[in-house]
Amino acid sequence: PRWKPTAFEGIVEMEEYKPGDIVEIETDDGLAYVQVTHAHPSYPPVVKFLNGPYQKRPDNVASLFSGKEEESIAMVPLAGVLKKLNLPHSKIGEAEIPYGERKFPMFRMPVRGKQGEIIYWWFWDGQGLSYSSELDEAQKKMPLREVMASDRFLQKICEGAR
């Protein structure tokens, strides 16, 4: 078998996560869980925040998935954020991305005028852009196209993505 060292001359490699990976994160509030759902060559991975936190690992990690599309997702440089926050964590398994969630998610982004007002919205599907001057109810539920900062990530996992 091939062996891949995790350290070379004192430099530790950053973990790399792929779609399907489930990561358990120890917080002051208990155990939190995220799942990597999508990868993009130019952006950090898309991460789904699973229900929690929990005092102990559930017997069936798959039970954490509600299967609802409105679960919270964001683009998160996961390995870097976990390192910066110095939170104990580990990949605890993999789970198939539900069929209805395999397409790269649509993100929204406000385009603002000189006074800070929103002039229109861009929608990005990982490849192209479209736009609208008004948001419908479904578009209001889309995640923002932004890279989540570490402090917001910590807040999100501690609140259980609710």
Side-chain angles (χ1 to χ4, degrees):
R2 291 178 41 154
W3 175 73
K4 181 178 178 186
T6 57
F8 180 73
E9 295 181 15
I11 299 172
V12 177
E13 292 181 12
M14 295 278 271
E15 300 105 327
E16 293 211 16
Y17 299 107
K18 64 185 185 318
D21 288 352
I22 297 173
V23 180
E24 179 181 78
I25 306 158
E26 294 179 35
T27 73
D28 291 341
D29 297 329
L31 300 173
Y33 297 90
V34 297
Q35 182 184 32
V36 176
T37 61
H38 298 84
H40 191 281
S42 302
Y43 290 90
V46 177
V47 170
K48 180 193 293 187
F49 296 85
L50 303 177
N51 296 326
Y54 294 85
Q55 294 311 306
K56 63 178 186 131
R57 182 182 297 169
D59 292 334
N60 181 3
V61 176
S63 69
L64 301 176
F65 298 90
S66 71
K68 297 179 181 172
E69 287 188 23
E70 61 267 11
E71 286 179 320
S72 186
I73 63 170
M75 287 185 279
V76 178
L78 189 57
V81 164
L82 292 170
K83 182 177 179 181
K84 181 178 180 179
L85 293 170
N86 199 28
L87 293 172
H89 62 278
S90 61
K91 176 184 165 187
I92 60 163
E94 299 174 14
E96 189 172 330
I97 307 299
Y99 182 78
E101 298 175 21
R102 291 182 187 166
K103 184 178 174 187
F104 197 88
M106 184 74 73
F107 289 86
R108 64 188 165 104
M109 184 176 76
V111 177
R112 299 183 184 276
K114 292 180 181 178
Q115 307 301 317
E117 76 282 9
I118 295 174
I119 300 173
Y120 59 94
W121 290 88
W122 273 354
F123 305 104
W124 178 69
D125 64 1
Q127 295 180 355
L129 293 171
S130 59
Y131 71 93
S132 176
S133 58
E134 300 291 326
L135 291 178
D136 63 27
E137 290 305 311
Q139 293 165 334
K140 289 177 184 177
K141 294 178 182 177
M142 290 177 184
L144 289 172
R145 181 183 168 199
E146 62 186 3
V147 176
M148 185 175 279
S150 56
D151 57 341
R152 179 69 183 123
F153 176 82
L154 181 59
Q155 178 185 12
K156 201 78 167 160
I157 62 173
C158 288
E159 71 183 17
R162 288 182 211 108

